[in-house]
Amino acid sequence: MSTASRVATRIADVPFLDKEDTSLLLVLPGLFVFSAFMLFPVLYLVGISFTNARPANLFAGETALDVLTFGQAEFVGLQNYVSALTDPAFWNSFGVTWLFVGTSVTAKIAFSVGIALVVTSDRVRGKRFLRSLIIIPMGLPAIFVVTVWRGIFSTAEFGLANQILREIGFESVAWLSQRWTAFLAYNVTEVWLAYPFMVLITVSALQDVPEELHEAAMVDGAGYVSRFLHVTLPAIKRPVMFASILTAAASFQAFLIPYVFNQGGPARANELIVVYGYREAFTFSQYGEGAAISLLAVAFIGAFMWLNVKKGRLADGVSET
């Protein structure tokens, strides 16, 4: 008998504990770990968002308990939320973030579905080798990948993107010094980071499409494009939609790409909402407002995911009990 089984047996033998009490005792360690590493930081962030917390007052206490109780920071109610929602920079970052989500997710879906169709085609040889190559970006540290792509889109003449442009007869581009070229660079890097996940989901969905449906469509005279639109696409729609919602949430929280590339520049024009909250907190030392911005971002992305799951009926068939 394992140690865990012996502990469970001894707890169950305690006379004044019923089965429900025993179950509660068994999950208490897990609840403690969850509270310490997940629940407490969230609650602390919520608390800070209602104060005027800054480094000067938040860390003014003499003990750790003083810091945990927000030091000498004062309660300001909803002032941080009002300040964020009335700041034009917040709405600029909010709009740019959703634009980034829309463009990057669209590109990821198109690119990933195209690759998945190639590596599942009967006409392609070495499909296993190709699939192993596809997942390579998943094994690389994100900061390493982002730094490499920053070098590719370097404004300098030696940047790979500029070298390619010169080779095909175009002039060099100051990629990260102009708003929309920098935004394009964000999208390309985001697609590279996320496409392996989308491809894996799409390949799994494609393998579940009954071959009989394709054969029946071919008998009816349907071409490749028609079979894709009327057979393949409806069959893989739900898995691809689910993966798209997850990757959209990741794009909404993008931080490394804009921050490492040019800190959301030029002149904060491409400052995604997480970068905006980070800079308010750690560049301008407005911890309270930074916390409020972070919680607003969580609320927006939570509502987005809930609406998509609800409208997309992705939870159909899941028991509510």
Side-chain angles (χ1 to χ4, degrees), residues 235-246:
I236 67 173
K237 181 178 68 174
R238 287 168 66 89
V240 171
M241 186 182 297
F242 176 73
S244 300
I245 293 172
L246 293 181

Side-chain angles (χ1 to χ4, degrees), residues 65-79:
L65 182 61
D66 293 332
V67 176
L68 292 177
T69 54
F70 313 124
Q72 297 178 2
E74 299 177 356
F75 179 77
V76 295
L78 297 175
Q79 179 179 323

Side-chain angles (χ1 to χ4, degrees), residues 95-109:
V96 170
T97 300
W98 282 116
L99 180 61
F100 176 69
V101 170
T103 54
S104 65
V105 171
T106 302
K108 280 182 276 190
I109 293 173

Side-chain angles (χ1 to χ4, degrees), residues 100-306:
F100 176 69
V101 170
T103 54
S104 65
V105 171
T106 302
K108 280 182 276 190
I109 293 173
F111 187 63
S112 302
V113 170
I115 292 179
L117 290 172
V118 170
V119 299
T120 55
S121 174
D122 294 333
R123 300 180 181 180
V124 176
R125 296 181 179 273
K127 289 183 287 188
R128 290 187 178 181
F129 176 70
L130 290 175
R131 292 178 190 180
S132 65
L133 291 179
I134 287 169
I135 64 174
I136 286 178
M138 297 182 69
L140 299 175
I143 184 64
F144 170 77
V145 175
V146 173
T147 303
V148 170
W149 277 103
R150 184 181 186 276
I152 291 173
F153 288 109
S154 173
T155 302
E157 294 292 324
F158 59 77
L160 180 59
N162 278 335
Q163 290 187 37
I164 294 173
L165 286 178
R166 289 200 306 274
E167 286 293 327
I168 59 178
F170 291 95
E171 296 183 357
S172 299
V173 174
W175 290 98
L176 304 181
S177 299
Q178 301 176 27
R179 180 176 190 180
W180 297 116
T181 54
F183 188 78
L184 174 62
Y186 292 0
N187 275 268
V188 172
T189 308
E190 175 69 8
V191 171
W192 173 262
L193 283 171
Y195 87 87
F197 169 73
M198 291 288 294
V199 169
L200 291 177
I201 298 296
T202 308
V203 166
S204 300
L206 287 171
Q207 291 175 337
D208 289 336
V209 179
E211 189 63 30
E212 294 79 7
L213 294 178
H214 286 285
E215 293 174 353
M218 292 175 67
V219 170
D220 291 338
Y224 180 81
V225 175
S226 181
R227 293 200 308 273
F228 173 75
L229 293 176
H230 300 290
V231 177
T232 304
L233 198 57
I236 67 173
K237 181 178 68 174
R238 287 168 66 89
V240 171
M241 186 182 297
F242 176 73
S244 300
I245 293 172
L246 293 181
T247 193
S251 296
F252 188 89
Q253 302 171 66
F255 175 81
L256 277 179
I257 295 174
Y259 193 79
V260 172
F261 273 33
N262 57 1
Q263 296 189 354
R268 306 186 72 174
N270 287 328
E271 199 171 56
L272 303 189
I273 196 164
V274 175
V275 178
Y276 172 66
Y278 174 86
R279 294 191 67 181
E280 289 296 317
F282 297 104
T283 301
F284 304 109
S285 299
Q286 300 292 332
Y287 286 2
E289 188 166 342
I293 293 167
S294 298
L295 291 172
L296 287 171
V298 170
F300 283 124
I301 193 61
F304 167 78
M305 294 184 71
W306 181 83

